[in-house]
Amino acid sequence: MARKYLIETFGCQMNVHDSERMAGLLEQAGFESTDDAGDADVVVINTCSVRERAEGQLYTRLGELRQLANDGGRRPIVAVAGCVAQQEGETILRRTPGVTDVIVGTQAIRRLPVLIEQAEAQAAPAIDLNPYDDVTWPLGVTRRDDRVKGYVTIIEGCNEFCSFCVVPYTRGHERMRPRTDILAEVRELAATGRKEVQLLGQIVNHYEAPDEPSCDFTGLLEAIHDVDGIERIRFASPHPRHFDDRFLAAMARLPKICRHLHLPVQSGSTRVLQAMRRRYTRESYLDLVARIRASLPEVALSTDMIVGFPGETDEDFGETLSLTDAVGYHSMFSFKYSPRPNTLAEKRLADDVSEEEKTRRIVALQARQRDAAERAARGAHRRRARRRREPTPRNGAVGAHDAERRRESARTQRVDRPHAARARRTRRAAQRVGTFDSRV
């Protein structure tokens, strides 16, 4: 009988994709999937460390697994993967002794089956936190449950070192996957019937192909657009300071690219942005939004926002509220600042905004965003209504005119449907504090 595994995932889309990869490795090693921890021979917890609360989830879950083993008399191999594993290392063993058998870092997940064997053979924890630079991945190994969409990583790590962000310390320096590997994976998605690809990276629009220096992110999008069978292309997340007009022109020109941009701003105050080391200003960000909307009138914009960053005054927060009004985001992921280990903010800046004030600000921001999202939705509805009322040309170009309107309608719907659902989820979560693991 085949042994069984369970993978539990916390955090971002990249963690979800890493879990798909680890699942494929375990199945290649002869394991079968189960949804029941009590039935599993191996339990993998894939962790996120962007927020302190996410770390707490890990230790809570490890305590639950210890109790489950005590109650049932059956103890699985427990592996901790992801950013907390990379960040905490052997500290996990000290905080929860006798529970964890494997600790695998973000750059070592391909060694998971080997580490499990090692832990079983030596009856002692196996740990690999080494910073491997190899970003290749064997084609066909990833286990994908979604039959419509597939994730494809194009960049791993980050070189930005925003002062609040732990990612450069947990996922390493920026490493680009070869263009040929990415396109091979996209073609595999198309060959297996998947219609949508979502490109992943900490800063996707900083991509430069290591195997073809002339291919930047725009060039990669153009190449993926030419893959037969792929109908929709998404990506997350671009950085505001790496946009150029060539990219915007390509996005307007290529109909397979969904009309959505996640445009993380983090704060509406230039002074706070400088302290965050974001390398753009409030004014340059608003200018970028204007350029985007000039090129892509139907685009849906979403963002990330931090409140209570060290030194944030009432005036700074007021600028965040006014920027939210000015942009009119379709959706926003917001959370209260918490110091993260090893980051510049944790080392150099006092966490001087009280927890009560952070809560007050995030509640106010989420209320403001609900109003902005409703205005954005009404505006999109009015634009669609105007297009439906447009007269049909009488110059014989009816077919081309109608075809273009159908294409534009399809592009808009590809954005509006998921964003309407996301907006509903955001409204339901409005009273919760800290709703997003912001990474860029």
Side-chain angles (χ1 to χ4, degrees):
M1 174 181 283
R3 295 199 296 169
K4 297 181 179 181
Y5 75 90
L6 169 66
I7 300 180
E8 300 178 349
T9 306
F10 300 102
C12 66
Q13 293 166 323
M14 190 163 286
N15 267 25
V16 172
H17 186 41
D18 283 348
S19 291
E20 292 179 333
R21 288 176 159 187
M22 289 188 286
L25 290 171
L26 291 173
E27 293 189 3
Q28 195 176 57
F31 288 85
E32 292 181 354
S33 174
T34 180
D35 294 328
D36 182 2
D39 192 36
D41 298 285
V42 172
V43 176
V44 181
I45 307 176
N46 193 10
T47 61
C48 170
S49 66
V50 170
R51 298 187 60 236
E52 186 176 8
R53 189 166 64 181
E55 293 173 20
Q57 288 177 315
L58 166 65
Y59 291 110
T60 297
R61 186 57 179 144
L62 290 176
E64 292 170 349
L65 290 174
R66 174 161 48 195
Q67 188 62 46
L68 183 66
N70 291 339
D71 293 344
R74 184 172 181 274
R75 184 182 179 281
I77 293 289
V78 175
V80 178
C83 290
V84 176
Q86 188 72 43
Q87 172 186 293
E88 298 288 298
E90 293 188 16
T91 301
I92 296 170
L93 303 179
R94 293 192 293 270
R95 287 189 60 173
T96 54
V99 179
T100 304
D101 304 284
V102 173
I103 299 176
V104 55
T106 56
Q107 298 168 62
I109 62 172
R110 68 176 62 227
R111 299 196 67 242
L112 177 62
V114 173
L115 293 171
I116 291 172
E117 288 184 8
Q118 182 180 326
E120 291 178 315
Q122 67 190 18
I127 302 173
D128 191 344
L129 304 177
N130 289 314
Y132 300 104
D133 282 342
D134 184 7
V135 293
T136 61
W137 190 263
L139 198 63
V141 170
T142 302
R143 180 184 186 271
R144 305 180 190 270
D145 290 327
D146 193 323
R147 297 185 180 275
V148 176
K149 178 179 72 174
Y151 293 120
V152 175
T153 297
I154 67 170
I155 301 176
E156 297 198 14
C158 184
N159 292 344
E160 289 290 317
F161 288 92
C162 297
S163 65
F164 58 85
C165 186
V166 75
V167 169
Y169 308 96
T170 57
R171 287 194 172 267
H173 67 87
E174 193 172 66
R175 301 167 323 278
M176 315 284 184
R177 283 187 75 195
R179 175 182 183 272
T180 52
D181 289 7
I182 294 169
L183 291 179
E185 192 168 355
V186 172
R187 293 189 187 103
E188 181 199 35
L189 292 176
T192 54
R194 292 171 174 85
K195 303 298 183 183
E196 180 176 316
V197 58
Q198 177 148 355
L199 307 178
L200 300 178
Q202 299 307 325
I203 301 177
V204 290
N205 57 339
H206 200 221
Y207 179 80
E208 293 179 354
D211 55 338
E212 190 172 325
S214 63
C215 178
D216 59 4
F217 184 57
T218 301
L220 182 66
L221 288 175
E222 291 170 338
I224 293 172
H225 193 275
D226 289 338
V227 175
D228 290 337
I230 296 297
E231 297 179 1
R232 295 179 297 278
I233 303 170
R234 301 182 189 274
F235 47 85
S237 288
H239 193 290
R241 80 185 189 96
H242 294 296
F243 276 82
D244 59 33
D245 290 337
R246 178 168 164 266
F247 163 77
L248 293 176
M251 188 168 174
R253 174 171 47 87
L254 302 175
K256 291 183 181 180
I257 302 178
C258 295
R259 274 25 185 178
H260 165 238
L261 282 172
H262 188 65
L263 200 61
V265 63
Q266 310 298 1
S267 175
S269 163
T270 294
R271 193 185 69 83
V272 173
L273 290 171
Q274 184 177 14
M276 290 178 168
R277 300 188 78 246
R278 292 294 288 174
R279 300 180 180 88
Y280 54 81
T281 65
R282 172 193 175 94
E283 291 74 23
S284 65
Y285 182 90
L286 289 172
D287 178 67
L288 173 60
V289 170
R291 287 165 50 212
I292 290 170
R293 288 204 162 123
S295 297
L296 301 161
E298 300 297 332
V299 72
L301 296 180
S302 57
T303 197
D304 308 336
M305 202 76 81
I306 297 170
V307 303
F309 188 78
E312 183 186 66
T313 65
D314 286 341
E315 182 179 355
D316 293 323
F317 178 64
E319 291 185 340
T320 291
L321 293 178
S322 65
L323 183 135
T324 299
D325 290 337
V327 175
Y329 298 106
H330 285 68
S331 61
M332 174 188 292
F333 304 102
S334 55
F335 68 100
K336 299 187 295 183
Y337 170 78
S338 60
R340 307 312 304 127
N342 303 314
T343 60
L344 292 172
E346 188 258 348
K347 292 177 180 178
R348 300 178 183 178
L349 302 175
D351 185 14
D352 57 359
V353 180
S354 70
E355 191 67 20
E356 293 76 14
E357 181 60 19
K358 289 176 184 177
T359 299
R360 185 193 70 79
R361 290 178 185 178
I362 201 165
V363 169
L365 176 61
Q366 291 175 346
R368 188 70 65 95
Q369 171 54 26
R370 287 197 301 274
D371 293 341
E374 289 170 0
R375 289 196 302 272
R378 289 195 297 269
H381 177 76
R382 286 194 296 269
R383 287 191 296 273
R384 287 194 295 271
R386 281 198 300 270
R387 285 200 303 275
R388 286 194 294 268
R389 291 195 299 268
E390 288 176 0
T392 301
R394 299 180 180 179
N395 59 1
V398 175
H401 175 80
D402 286 349
E404 176 56 31
R405 286 177 64 178
R406 285 194 298 271
R407 284 194 294 271
E408 180 60 31
S409 175
R411 287 195 294 263
T412 302
Q413 290 173 15
R414 287 199 293 267
V415 168
D416 287 349
R417 280 198 294 265
H419 275 78
R422 181 183 288 176
R424 288 192 294 271
R425 292 194 298 271
T426 301
R427 285 195 294 272
R428 287 196 298 268
Q431 300 306 314
R432 296 201 302 267
V433 176
T435 58
F436 183 62
D437 294 334
S438 173
R439 289 187 175 239
V440 294

